[in-house]
Each structure stands twice: as structure tokens, then as C-alpha cells.
Amino acid sequence: MTGTLAPSKPLNAQDRCDRCGAQAYVRATMAGGAELLFCAHHGRKYGENLRAKGADIHDETDKLIENRLRGDDHA
């Protein structure tokens, strides 16, 4: 985190990817405050480019691993 933005709230099942509609696990907050939400796949695809443009990336893809370890296949 850059320290200039307020901490963002955790993503939940209602947060959907702006590209495909799957559950969002990555939030990209642009310098002006606009937010983009991405699933793990699109977060990996666009994350580095957005970071290079100054976006703050909040990545919760570790939830996918935690859910698999618990046996929850709906994440």
C-alpha cells in the first residue's frame, strides 16, 4: 500500500470482477480514487500494468488457497 490511501474493506462474495463477473479477489485503486475489481485471473493479467500506472493493488487471492485447504470449492 502506498500509505496515501485509506485502507480498503475486505472483498466479499458480492464483489464481482469488472471483466468477467466472477468473484473478485483483487482491488486496484487508482490515484484519483476509482476502484477496479478483478477475479484472480484478471488480477494477474492486469495487476502489474495497473501498478506501473500508480494503482494501489489489494490482493486477496490467498483466500482461494485457504478455501481449498478447508475443502470449500465455492470460492
Side-chain angles (χ1 to χ4, degrees):
M1 197 148 100
T2 63
T4 59
L5 300 171
S8 56
K9 63 182 177 171
L11 295 165
N12 62 53
Q14 282 75 41
D15 293 313
R16 311 312 286 181
C17 177
D18 290 330
R19 294 293 296 162
C20 70
Q23 185 171 345
Y25 288 94
V26 177
R27 176 186 289 118
T29 305
M30 305 307 290
E35 290 185 341
L36 298 169
L37 301 179
F38 296 109
C39 63
H41 164 78
H42 286 112
R44 284 189 300 273
K45 183 172 182 177
Y46 300 115
E48 288 306 313
N49 189 28
L50 288 166
R51 187 175 279 118
K53 294 179 189 278
D56 178 57
I57 306 296
H58 176 81
D59 186 339
E60 295 185 12
T61 55
D62 56 326
K63 287 182 179 179
L64 292 166
I65 296 167
E66 292 171 10
N67 291 338
R68 285 204 177 106
L69 291 174
R70 284 194 330 254
D72 182 2
D73 292 332
H74 301 320

